[in-house]
């Protein structure tokens, strides 16, 4: 019985290893289809969303690795107050094939951000990557075909991060009643 289970596990591992890594072209296509809803910012260094996405294809032999994370696509975004980085990552573990991670980081430091190297090194157990957990405002898993839903969640997280609580301002339409004068009567003093 033990041999049978070990054989099943070995066959499953080999089948999972034969699964392909991320279909970068398909995920990029889904990403661009979703981005078509948004006007491209005119003051950008690039001319379209397609030029704005940074791509990190698989290296030869990566499908043989047993663990590790790789950034596959990046989209830097900037608002008046903050800088955001949407990243699509892939776990190289055979059991994680076809399930990807999308994350949003805010206000990372440029001099800390050595993208691929830091992610590779940090997720081998050190966890001192440049986009630290304190920089993450959203992360979730998704499968191909569901990237649009994951991107919607990222946008909600960004919007939630951008919203600020306004200080309470007095309402000029609401008149606060002034206390009415009270008639006070003191007892008369006796002459004793």
């Amino acid at each position: 019985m033990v041999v049978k289970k070990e054989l099943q596990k070995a066959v499953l591992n080999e089948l999972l290893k034969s699964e392909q890594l991320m279909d970068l072209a398909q995920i990029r296509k889904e990403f661009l289809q979703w981005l078509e809803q948004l006007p491209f910012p005119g003051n950008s260094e690039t001319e379209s969303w397609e030029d704005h996405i940074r791509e990190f294809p698989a290296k030869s032999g990566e499908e043989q690795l047993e663990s590790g994370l790789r950034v596959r696509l990046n989209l830097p975004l900037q608002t008046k107050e903050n800088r955001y980085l949407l990243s699509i990552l892939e776990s190289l573990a055979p059991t994680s094939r076809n399930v990807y991670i999308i994350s949003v980081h805010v206000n990372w430091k440029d001099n800390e951000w050595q993208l691929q190297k830091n992610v590779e090194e940090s997720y081998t157990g050190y966890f001192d990557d440049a986009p630290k957990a304190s920089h993450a405002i959203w992360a979730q898993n998704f499968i191909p075909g569901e990237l649009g839903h994951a991107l919607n969640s990222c946008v909600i997280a960004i919007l939630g991060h951008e919203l600020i609580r306004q200080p309470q301002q007095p309402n000029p339409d609401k008149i606060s009643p002034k206390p009415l004068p009270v008639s006070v009567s003191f007892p008369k003093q006796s002459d004793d």
Side-chain angles (χ1 to χ4, degrees), residues 80-170:
K80 288 182 180 182
E81 299 292 324
N82 297 297
R83 293 180 309 137
Y84 295 92
L85 184 67
L86 265 92
S87 297
I88 297 177
L89 300 97
E90 177 176 26
S91 171
L92 299 178
T95 54
S96 299
R97 301 278 163 92
N98 293 318
V99 177
Y100 309 114
I101 304 163
I102 188 165
S103 65
V104 180
H105 289 84
V106 64
N107 295 334
W108 66 94
K109 294 180 182 174
D110 286 329
N111 60 0
E112 290 178 341
W113 186 247
Q114 301 169 6
L115 183 69
Q116 194 69 32
K117 181 181 174 215
N118 284 348
V119 170
E120 288 174 15
E121 290 173 359
S122 64
Y123 286 96
T124 57
Y126 299 109
F127 295 101
D128 60 352
D129 53 331
K132 295 180 176 33
S134 62
H135 297 233
I137 59 170
W138 186 257
Q140 83 177 64
N141 292 340
F142 72 95
I143 58 173
E146 293 185 0
L147 178 58
H149 299 297
L151 287 166
N152 287 340
S153 298
C154 291
V155 168
I156 291 169
I158 290 171
L159 178 61
H161 189 264
E162 288 291 313
L163 293 175
I164 57 170
R165 185 180 173 117
Q166 295 293 328
Q168 192 78 345
Q169 300 291 331

Side-chain angles (χ1 to χ4, degrees), residues 17 19-21 57-67 70 72 90 92-94 97:
K17 280 184 184 177
E19 283 284 322
Q20 296 296 313
L21 293 176
K59 299 174 186 173
S60 64
E62 276 189 348
E63 64 278 351
Q64 300 303 320
L65 296 175
E66 296 289 328
S67 64
R70 294 290 189 273
R72 295 298 186 212
E90 177 176 26
L92 299 178
R97 301 278 163 92

